[in-house]
Amino acid sequence: MYYFSLEFLMGRMMQNMLVNIDMEDHYKKALMDIGYKLEDLYEEEVDAALGNGGLGRLAACFLDSLATLELPAWGYGIRYDYGIFKQMIKEGKQVEIPDFWLKGGNPWEIERSDVIYPVNFYGRVEKYYDNGTERANWVDCQTVMAQAYDTPVPGYNTYNTNNLRLWRSRPCNEFNFDSFNQGDYFGAISERQSAEYITSVLYPNDSSPSGKELRLKQQYFFCSASIRDIIRRYKKNHGNDWSQFAAKNQIQLNDTHPAISTIELLRILLDEERMTYAQAWQIVHNTYAYTNHTVLPEALEKWSVALIQRLLPRHMDLIYLVNHFFIEKLKQKYPNDGEKVSRMSLIEEGDEKKVRMAYLSIVCSHTVNGVAALHSELLKETIFSEFNALYPGKIQNKTNGVTPRRWLHCCNPGLSELISESIGSVDEWITDLDNLQQLAGHATNPAFVEQFRKVKRANKERLRAWVKEHTGIDIPLDSLYDIQVKRIHEYKRQLLNILYVVYRYLTIKDTPRHERAQKFVPRVVMIGGKAAPGYYNAKIIIELINAVSRVVNSDADIGDLLKVVFLPNYNVSSAQIIIPASELSQHISTAGTEASGTSNMKFVMNGCLIIGTMDGANVEIAEEIG
Ligand code: 26Q
């Protein structure tokens, strides 16, 4: 199984690696012997932040779980030089700092100088007929090389190790030899640099797709190399017998970002392997599955036909061909309903023709899934309803999950130990979280409750020190820690949260001093998250939070009854400190807009009460925990 994703938000690796191979205690002791603390060593590692948020972190959690379940699954993606930007707050505003995470070297990756493929762009198509099948030579292309970098992915308590294979773009040596010969030395160098540029930087948008040529280049670049790699591996075992391909290779599309790979596989099967269209199509269709992560129309990818035509001319032909057969099927099933055909077409007509990548992904896949029960129902009833009617059963639900290794055991060793002591051993729950049900009996056990409180308090102390270090703000320990950390978005309603804080502040101010203590539980409201650099409304929400923080925190009349903190540079590592210290967490998206949410699960696992709308996976969490 291959998980194709433009994002893998791995965070730090060392503790996860040591825990999974059961070496953490040995390392702890060995380092202690030479006067070091393992925890201090962990702090030296930089995050591998090759993702924006939920979708990228989901990919990382899946890698850990797939390895732990001993499934033969690899991740394929891009080795960006620059991960998601670092966020600083200057005068209350977000400032973005480039994240050149490879500065000090990356000890986890293995450079594979032997695994390298050419990837073509631009050029033109020469068509010809071969026994009635139209095929093409794609000629006069620009070629870039894709080089593999591997990161091992050990499972918890397993003997197998999976792999995350990320591609880096390199110039092709033969590439543009002509300019050298013609004496255009600088021209040739600059073309080489533009090749390296493809994998330089992760796009920091996580909602409205940018539609930029470089982004499409990134998508095709990694898809092409990954498909080549998979075919090479298959041929080593099966030669030219393609009959087992789909049985041996399953590709999961993490959203539509790698959707062009469906057409790349089709192209290779037609133009290089010389199959008939029917044979090639069967293989593509039986190989792919697609995960959708949003119902928001503005977040659905659409690529301009003109751009694809120029960058990937043969792929544009083949998209039209797939669309032709698809529309034939529609016309048969719904005769005289031209409106429906144009609604469902893979091509959106208009001033600028566009390819609807979600529709392309649905048509090319055998299975489509949403990421929480409610979200999957919405897919079937709203944005993909006509596809659900056409292909009954194709759209399914697979509710997201998170790895309990990182999000409970590693980030909250105190709670992990308490749970293990209470239900027998760590191995009972750490690979099968249903075992946490055994804790129900301890909920009224005073000794357990006392221990639980102790653990929470220690985690709050750790967060308090982090807040002091990163914001300079002193927060009290004996307050309710109320937390909302996630990318800043209007639909996630950080604005609603901060307006409530203003209301609470004013209500406290309106209450006579002597009544306050009994009317208000002292609370520290913490909000954190990055805004996409071009998302104006998200950026001014950050400014507002900081402005409210300044007013409330400096009001001596309010004292410790209310503190407001903007947590800067929210990322995987800070999440591992923030989440275990939480007592109340906010998941208040407008119902129907948050596909799943995954931090909701992490907060719950760390003994936090969540407050939220009946949206995404909140619905299932509520059913599970009451
Ligand atoms: C697309 C085109 C061009 C540039 C950027 C993008 C892009 C990048 C990232 C579009 C979307 C994303 C990320 C989306 C995301 O994180 N979605 C979240 O996925 C989680 C995992 O399924 C869910 O839990 C969240 O509800 C969902 O918002």
Side-chain angles (χ1 to χ4, degrees):
M1 197 286 264
Y2 299 106
Y3 201 73
F4 276 27
S5 179
L6 265 280
E7 306 194 6
F8 287 92
L9 188 43
M10 302 293 282
R12 289 175 177 153
M13 319 246 199
M14 185 165 184
Q15 189 185 13
N16 177 250
M17 297 264 188
L18 291 182
V19 163
N20 281 10
I21 64 173
D22 198 19
M23 290 291 280
E24 194 184 32
D25 281 344
H26 298 289
Y27 266 69
K28 213 169 260 177
K29 285 188 195 114
L31 279 170
M32 200 88 88
D33 286 348
I34 54 172
Y36 288 98
K37 275 173 72 183
L38 181 57
E39 289 76 18
D40 294 340
L41 194 56
Y42 290 157
E43 289 298 312
E44 294 296 312
E45 188 177 351
V46 296
D47 276 38
L50 308 185
N52 272 288
L55 167 149
R57 183 56 230 174
L58 184 74
C61 280
F62 278 173
L63 291 183
D64 186 72
S65 291
L66 287 162
T68 299
L69 291 166
E70 304 200 75
L71 293 166
W74 281 24
Y76 272 111
I78 291 179
R79 179 185 177 275
Y80 301 103
D81 297 319
Y82 293 87
I84 187 71
F85 63 85
K86 287 189 186 141
Q87 178 193 57
M88 289 197 14
I89 302 299
K90 293 242 165 86
E91 289 164 11
K93 298 185 175 81
Q94 168 174 298
V95 175
E96 299 102 22
I97 313 290
D99 169 40
F100 183 60
W101 69 295
L102 298 164
K103 191 167 47 217
N106 174 6
W108 306 109
E109 71 184 8
I110 301 156
E111 182 184 343
R112 302 298 304 262
S113 42
D114 53 328
V115 184
I116 184 156
Y117 300 99
V119 178
N120 293 327
F121 294 101
Y122 306 106
R124 62 197 170 79
V125 167
E126 287 175 350
K127 291 192 183 148
Y128 64 94
Y129 278 90
D130 171 23
N131 287 322
T133 299
E134 190 182 78
R135 303 195 196 284
N137 291 316
W138 181 12
V139 296
D140 295 342
C141 309
Q142 287 185 18
T143 304
V144 173
M145 303 305 290
Q147 186 183 0
Y149 285 74
D150 288 348
T151 302
V153 182
Y156 180 89
N157 198 12
T158 65
Y159 289 99
N160 296 314
T161 292
N162 282 339
N163 190 26
L164 169 59
R165 177 158 283 181
L166 301 179
W167 301 102
R168 176 185 187 187
S169 58
R170 318 275 2 224
C172 171
N173 271 335
E174 289 105 279
F175 175 52
N176 233 351
F177 225 70
D178 281 356
S179 348
F180 273 108
N181 293 340
Q182 289 160 20
D184 185 9
Y185 179 70
F186 281 93
I189 298 286
S190 104
E191 297 238 22
R192 288 175 69 83
Q193 283 180 334
S194 75
E196 305 227 87
Y197 196 57
I198 295 175
T199 57
S200 286
V201 40
L202 165 79
Y203 273 83
N205 299 348
D206 70 340
S207 48
S208 48
S210 63
K212 291 276 194 306
E213 177 166 333
L214 181 61
R215 170 74 179 188
L216 184 60
K217 271 191 179 172
Q218 291 184 335
Q219 296 184 347
Y220 177 66
F221 169 80
F222 113 79
C223 289
S224 173
S226 308
I227 295 287
R228 290 274 175 219
D229 205 37
I230 291 167
I231 292 178
R232 181 188 51 87
R233 191 170 303 123
Y234 178 78
K235 283 192 163 183
K236 243 176 20 191
N237 297 317
H238 299 267
N240 276 326
D241 171 14
W242 284 89
S243 65
Q244 298 299 301
F245 187 83
K248 298 294 182 187
N249 299 287
Q250 285 292 298
I251 299 174
Q252 189 74 35
L253 299 174
N254 197 16
D255 214 293
T256 55
H257 314 158
I260 195 70
S261 72
T262 57
I263 302 300
E264 174 68 352
L265 178 58
L266 187 66
R267 185 186 72 80
I268 293 172
L269 298 180
L270 283 171
D271 294 348
E272 297 181 13
E273 300 297 328
R274 301 180 162 268
M275 290 183 190
T276 65
Y277 182 81
Q279 289 169 325
W281 175 254
Q282 268 313 307
I283 291 178
V284 170
H285 182 262
N286 293 339
T287 299
Y288 277 94
Y290 153 56
T291 304
N292 169 284
H293 297 265
T294 184
V295 294
L296 304 180
E298 69 271 21
L300 295 178
E301 274 191 300
K302 289 173 191 168
W303 285 108
S304 128
V305 166
L307 173 58
I308 301 182
Q309 194 87 258
R310 197 157 53 77
L311 189 68
L312 304 167
R314 179 56 174 156
H315 297 77
M316 198 57 245
D317 287 346
L318 291 176
I319 292 170
Y320 273 122
L321 189 63
V322 170
N323 197 38
H324 166 78
F325 287 113
F326 175 59
I327 282 176
E328 284 303 303
K329 185 181 159 121
L330 289 180
K331 283 184 181 159
Q332 240 174 45
K333 191 144 185 202
Y334 311 105
N336 313 318
D337 195 347
E339 293 270 298
K340 192 181 188 85
V341 170
S342 88
R343 274 198 310 272
M344 295 181 78
S345 171
L346 307 186
I347 310 291
E348 182 182 274
E349 302 290 335
D351 285 351
E352 201 188 7
K353 280 201 205 180
K354 290 186 168 166
V355 180
R356 296 160 164 158
M357 302 308 280
Y359 292 1
L360 176 68
S361 303
I362 297 173
V363 170
C364 291
S365 297
H366 56 76
T367 306
V368 175
N369 75 285
V371 291
L374 175 75
H375 169 62
S376 300
E377 286 309 307
L378 287 173
L379 289 184
K380 287 187 278 184
E381 282 162 19
T382 65
I383 59 171
F384 300 151
S385 62
E386 292 182 296
F387 288 87
N388 187 49
L390 180 67
Y391 308 121
K394 189 183 230 186
I395 303 176
Q396 303 180 6
N397 177 245
K398 295 289 168 286
T399 300
N400 282 167
V402 300
T403 170
R405 272 72 64 190
R406 179 179 297 260
W407 296 111
L408 181 47
H409 179 71
C410 292
C411 70
N412 198 343
L415 185 56
S416 171
E417 205 173 314
L418 176 60
I419 293 171
S420 301
E421 278 167 15
S422 307
I423 68 180
S425 73
V426 72
D427 285 338
E428 262 177 76
W429 61 268
I430 203 166
T431 58
D432 182 2
L433 217 55
D434 285 346
N435 282 306
L436 291 190
Q437 289 194 353
Q438 295 179 53
L439 288 177
H442 296 270
T444 50
N445 171 352
F448 178 90
V449 171
E450 183 51 33
Q451 271 306 111
F452 179 86
R453 285 207 174 111
K454 259 197 179 150
V455 168
K456 184 62 80 183
R457 200 178 166 80
N459 292 337
K460 287 173 71 177
E461 272 171 7
R462 183 171 67 163
L463 177 58
R464 184 169 67 155
W466 188 96
V467 167
K468 177 73 185 170
E469 186 187 337
H470 292 92
T471 69
I473 301 173
D474 285 303
I475 57 171
L477 195 57
D478 292 306
S479 281
L480 180 82
Y481 283 11
D482 169 350
I483 296 178
Q484 185 180 24
V485 277
K486 47 185 87 226
R487 287 296 291 255
I488 311 291
H489 265 285
E490 285 156 286
Y491 84 81
K492 293 177 191 280
R493 298 202 286 192
Q494 284 93 353
L495 181 58
L496 180 65
N497 191 3
I498 197 66
L499 288 177
Y500 170 71
V501 172
V502 171
Y503 167 79
R504 190 175 172 91
Y505 169 73
L506 295 174
T507 317
I508 296 173
K509 299 274 299 173
D510 280 348
T511 306
R513 274 178 154 261
H514 65 277
E515 289 173 23
R516 288 178 188 171
Q518 70 173 76
K519 284 203 169 151
F520 299 97
V521 171
R523 191 184 286 216
V524 181
V525 176
M526 295 175 246
I527 304 176
K530 292 173 185 175
Y535 190 172
Y536 180 78
N537 282 350
K539 287 189 147 177
I540 56 172
I541 289 170
I542 292 176
E543 251 187 281
L544 177 61
I545 297 165
N546 281 305
V548 171
S549 165
R550 220 176 321 118
V551 171
V552 172
N553 297 350
S554 59
D555 188 338
D557 177 48
I558 292 292
D560 279 357
L561 271 188
L562 185 61
K563 292 284 174 201
V564 182
V565 180
F566 185 85
L567 302 170
N569 198 38
Y570 179 60
N571 62 10
V572 173
S573 285
S574 61
Q576 289 179 224
I577 294 167
I578 294 163
I579 294 171
S582 60
E583 292 168 305
L584 178 65
S585 72
Q586 307 264 349
H587 307 269
I588 54 177
S589 51
T590 311
T593 60
E594 188 70 274
S596 164
T598 42
S599 76
N600 42 7
M601 305 170 191
K602 297 166 193 167
F603 280 103
V604 165
M605 281 158 55
N606 283 277
C608 173
L609 198 63
I610 69 175
I611 183 165
T613 46
M614 279 301 204
D615 199 14
N618 292 352
V619 178
E620 290 154 86
I621 292 173
E623 271 168 25
E624 197 65 27
I625 69 177

